[in-house]
Amino acid sequence: MKKVMALIGFGMMMLSCGSSPRTSNELAVSNPIESSMDLTAVVNDKVPVTINPGRFTQDTVTYRLPRVVQGTYDISDFGAFVDDFKALDYDGKSLPVEKVDKNTWVITNATQLDKLTYWVNDSFDVESNPNYPNLFSPGGTNIEPNNYVLNLHGFIGYFDSLKNNQYTLDVVSPANFERTSALQKVAESASANGEKMTTSYFAPRYFDITDNPMMYGKLDVEEFMVGDIKIVLSVYSPNKKHTAESLKETMYKMMEAQKNYLGSINSTPRYDIYLYLSDGSAKAPKGFGALEHHTSTVVVLREWDSKESLAQSMVDVVSHEFFHIVTPLTVHSEDIHYFDYNTPTFSKHLWMYEGVTEYFAQHFQVYEGLVTPRDFFGTMDKKIDHASYFNDALSFTEMSENITEEPYAYNYVNVYQKGALIGMCMDILMREESDGTRSMLSLIKELSSKYGKDKPFEDDSIIDEISNMTYPSVAAFLQNHVVGSVPINYDEFFEKVGLYYEETKVATNYVQAANGLVMDRNKETEEMFFTDNVEDNSFWKEQGVQPGDKLVGINGFNISDMNIKFVVSQIFAWETGKEVDVTLDRNGETIEIKTTLTPAFTTSRTLVENPNATKKQIALRNAWLNQSENM
């Protein structure tokens, strides 16, 4: 209660005093760092930022913007977006400043320092510029007349000597803007002419600055309750193709199912979803996906997607980010809890933070009845296929600890493939050993109870701890396939739940078979020809097409006069019922095919339920998928 009252008192102080100038007697070590951004004063696509730390007693201080931010596992160098950095004394005169690297400024004569001022460029419109870091878009920033994506780690930095200080933040914006943020708002006031609005926020420490993004502008905002969690959905669609209202039902249904799946885990009373839809223009963001925070996520997706396609993307992306409230936001190691934004050390456990989270994001959909078991099997089977593109004999803990370095960085994407499969295998093992009473989710709940967002675990000890909490089979799995480099035989785990692979006929288009394209081109002659895959495409096989046949003409057009990519795109767009006229060259013989397109099929190795599964296998599968005996 004392903490609550202290914050209320601080808010009242902000309301009554605003951001009045500081005196030179206010020591930096004992006062909040005052920061401000003015979105109404943008010049050349840059926002002015002011940092007022109070009075320093040392002669030299160091100020930084993050080199790395949590959740990205990559070098960001946000200082590269800063221009015209100045340190001003109490008379408004410049103090000596040395920029020692991309993100670090050292200020001398710091006892005279009043404030820092600088300008910040955004990352969205320079993603293809080699002079700037290539940031993952959801972790980046946007500055444009109608929209501001304010990942605050791109604007506000920290002093090395004041890492634990509180922050205040004033954001000045046009009064007609929508303003959404999960950061604690303590005051709001309009300018005398009513054209501007100053919104004041409070952050207990720098982590809360980086952990609470904002979105300002001409947004579409919907708020709704999922149980006792308030969901705030903010959407920016440049061409107004999509709205928050059109996504609201999908998000509600998904998050209600997630909350049912999580049960007693409930770590936030509010969750913000910031969705920026890229229109595909030259300066629009290209990195589609999302970045998690404790109580929010920033999402960047395609504006040109259909309503149905966008809704499915939001389910896949946001469900993953929401599950991060469990791990690493609740269950995490000391590397994450005491994160160093300049020279971080990385935890060994991306298999849990990203892999298990991705597994939950897929598993809850079948467990809560949003998708069919067959759909879920197909999803996990695709992850097996995609994981095969990466080094399957690479220790996951070793990769995780060195994730910003090669060859580990290249394999990062595998945390969403093999990492999720690790979660699946452990889930099956947990359920098998406990006769269905324990699971991967129950294990994470046990870890959440033992640790939690304010109590990190020891990075080097958690594998042994999980082993002791579970079963010898789980311990062996972790040592062999997570710490060790032994590839996983997934068939063994599917057998436990009565699944197996069978060859089935599946629909395809007219350019693909199960193993790839049915056509290729000779790079020297530019001639197009049919590959061995043509024998696994029912349409072409029924027409008698053979591997090696050259494609000469389509519907009266000579292939040699057409761009190869255009030809493939045209055939890809063919639909059943269309009349086609195809000319081939087979060893000098001209062959003409005039026909009406019939559906094309290919054979696929599909994961399905084994009709000969035992009662024990079926019971384990039903527990795993939350299915009844009669289904």
Side-chain angles (χ1 to χ4, degrees), residues 332-344:
H332 56 260
S333 74
E334 293 168 332
D335 300 81
I336 291 177
H337 195 76
Y338 304 110
F339 189 78
D340 187 322
Y341 296 91
N342 185 50
T343 55

Side-chain angles (χ1 to χ4, degrees), residues 613-629:
T614 66
K615 289 184 177 181
K616 182 179 179 180
Q617 290 171 320
I618 294 171
L620 181 57
R621 183 173 70 230
N622 288 339
W624 178 42
L625 304 179
N626 195 26
Q627 304 289 302
S628 68
E629 292 289 340

Side-chain angles (χ1 to χ4, degrees), residues 298-476:
V298 178
V299 187
V300 177
L301 292 173
R302 298 168 291 270
E303 188 183 35
W304 61 87
D305 276 357
S306 66
K307 177 181 177 181
E308 294 74 21
S309 179
L310 178 62
Q312 185 56 54
S313 294
M314 287 290 284
V315 169
D316 291 337
V317 171
V318 178
S319 62
H320 176 100
E321 304 308 325
F322 184 74
F323 276 122
H324 273 306
I325 68 173
V326 182
T327 179
L329 303 180
T330 300
V331 181
H332 56 260
S333 74
E334 293 168 332
D335 300 81
I336 291 177
H337 195 76
Y338 304 110
F339 189 78
D340 187 322
Y341 296 91
N342 185 50
T343 55
T345 57
F346 291 96
S347 171
K348 296 178 179 180
H349 304 295
L350 275 174
W351 67 272
M352 180 165 64
Y353 307 142
E354 296 295 344
V356 171
T357 297
E358 174 61 13
Y359 172 66
F360 287 160
Q362 301 304 326
H363 183 250
F364 96 96
Q365 295 186 52
V366 66
Y367 198 85
E368 297 296 330
L370 299 183
V371 301
T372 67
R374 196 178 187 98
D375 289 336
F376 174 67
F377 302 155
T379 296
M380 302 314 290
D381 195 28
K382 284 181 182 177
K383 289 190 179 295
I384 294 174
D385 180 52
H386 294 163
S388 68
Y389 298 124
F390 300 96
N391 184 351
D392 198 29
L394 187 65
S395 163
F396 247 62
T397 54
E398 181 181 338
M399 177 184 74
S400 182
E401 193 172 29
N402 301 281
I403 197 61
T404 61
E405 304 170 13
E406 294 298 352
Y408 309 103
Y410 173 79
N411 286 271
Y412 168 70
V413 177
N414 203 20
V415 301
Y416 302 101
Q417 313 304 327
K418 187 176 180 180
L421 295 165
I422 287 171
M424 178 192 74
C425 294
M426 289 183 66
D427 194 18
I428 291 173
L429 283 175
M430 290 286 292
R431 294 173 189 275
E432 179 185 44
E433 295 281 10
S434 65
D435 291 327
T437 61
R438 296 181 72 191
S439 65
M440 192 69 221
L441 182 59
S442 72
L443 172 61
I444 294 297
K445 287 182 178 182
E446 291 173 42
L447 290 171
S448 297
S449 298
K450 182 170 183 177
Y451 294 102
K453 63 180 182 179
D454 296 321
K455 183 183 178 182
F457 59 73
E458 291 184 11
D459 206 65
D460 289 335
S461 302
I462 195 64
I463 293 287
D464 289 339
E465 190 166 352
I466 291 173
S467 299
N468 292 332
M469 292 170 64
T470 56
Y471 309 97
S473 62
V474 175

